[in-house]
Amino acid sequence: MTATTTAIDAVAALAELAPIGADGTRGGWSRHLLDEADRDMRAWFERTASSLGLAVETDANANQWATWAPDGATGPAVATGSHLDSVPGGGPLDGPLGVVSAFAAVARLQADGHAPARPIRVANFAEEEGARFGVPCLGSQLLAGELGSDRVRALTDATGVTCAAVLEAGGIDPAGIGRDAARLADMALYLELHVEQGRQLAPLDAPVGIATSILAHGRWRVTVTGRGDHAGATELASRHDPMMVAAATVRAARGRALAAAPPTRSRATVGKLQVIPGGSNAIASEVRLWIDARAEHDADVRDLVARIVADAEAAARAEGCSVTVAEESFSARVEFDPALADRVGDALAPGFGAVPRIPTGAGHDAGVLAAHLPTAMLFVRNPDGVSHSPHEGASEADIRAGVDALTAALRALTSGDAR
Ligand code: GLV
Ligand code: MN
Ligand code: MN
């Protein structure tokens, strides 16, 4: 394949993506697995890859890949990229920044006449946020064989449509999802660039950072069942109101996380609640809520969740309600490969000096892959630290610095003597 010299400006590319999935109701962007916005993002991925002369494919798990393998590039690829889906009403950078920067870096290397000793492969991992089917990093977890295919096929979205049906409608054979050993083996390493989430780089006056670890984290669905009734006609003393239990659970999440931290950096959040039937003049019959819990180590997370659930059960007993809890996902603590982080740090040193090493509380496909191949992450400074919100941001200068950093790292990781 011949190299092209198409330049990609990451800031301009992000602006091009801005209309896709813009959420007029919630603000921000909503792009979920194979919905219209996600399909438009995927079409952009294909167009951009083609403009660079990369070979594009969608794997059996709905992940997209674009490979630059000029003459002399042999062996497993150096992979980079991120995801193009979002949380509901999310920010512009969580995900797209890593994909856009990857293409911009490849374009820069091509223009510079770089001759990679390994193929460079850009990834768009499917459903990283898990917003549609509840399970984060769906594409990378399937690829890595960390999710049961039957379970994934049977997952349903908020409208009751199965994941199998969504995949099929999107041109993915649901029977084929699952561990892809050949694709895993064809990656020498994975380097993901991502907007920083949390505010660690700004006080250090650093435009980029290198990840060290990810907190252990997971999601639990709590279903509280009570007795639906009339808001005006039902005596307070005779109610079995699941909303009271839900409120106690929300407070328990904050209280138990506070009691656990520090030094465990425990945090627990209820950010999603469904009230059935959801009438303002009706006592609910059922409330579903989701606990997102994170902590330094796996056992800390499990202990935190057990305490919150015990509080929920106590509240349910007091209200004459019942509670069931289902674990939707669990992601063990991740330590990124220190040797790869050192190589990335060395590659960045000429342009960036000593790049800070920082931990994160956010989950990533790089975290999933870390159990299978060397992985590293680059973070681009986020001035306010805000993410999973329309207010997420990074300066144009820092976005361009991120591309500079990724380009330098990919150049070093694919130079002849890096093999
Ligand atoms: C993904 O960004 C997560 O940490 O939930
Ligand atoms: Mn995210
Ligand atoms: Mn992300």
Side-chain angles (χ1 to χ4, degrees), residues 83 87 94 128-129 136-137 194 197 217 219 292 294 361-364 387-388:
H83 60 98
V87 294
D94 179 359
E128 189 269 356
E129 300 289 3
C137 298
H194 205 280
Q197 299 167 292
H217 60 285
R219 298 180 189 181
D292 176 308
R294 311 192 185 212
H364 298 285
S387 189
H388 285 187

Side-chain angles (χ1 to χ4, degrees), residues 65-146:
W65 303 91
T67 303
W68 181 37
D71 289 347
T74 56
V78 164
T80 182
S82 190
H83 60 98
L84 293 175
D85 67 308
S86 74
V87 294
L93 302 178
D94 179 359
L97 183 65
V99 180
V100 162
S101 300
F103 281 131
V106 169
R108 185 93 61 84
L109 292 171
Q110 290 180 337
D112 290 351
H114 176 64
R118 289 189 180 285
I120 298 181
R121 186 162 293 143
V122 179
N124 165 29
F125 284 108
E127 183 77 345
E128 189 269 356
E129 300 289 3
R132 183 159 189 181
F133 289 104
V135 178
C137 298
L138 194 71
S140 59
Q141 288 209 74
L142 279 168
L143 166 75
E146 292 185 6

Side-chain angles (χ1 to χ4, degrees), residues 53-68:
L54 311 189
V56 196
E57 57 186 325
T58 301
D59 72 16
N61 295 307
N63 306 306
Q64 286 182 298
W65 303 91
T67 303
W68 181 37

Side-chain angles (χ1 to χ4, degrees), residues 25 45 77 79 103 109 116 121 143 253 260 271 276 331-332 370 385 390 396:
T25 308
F45 183 98
F103 281 131
L109 292 171
R121 186 162 293 143
L143 166 75
I276 296 160
S331 306
E396 292 187 1

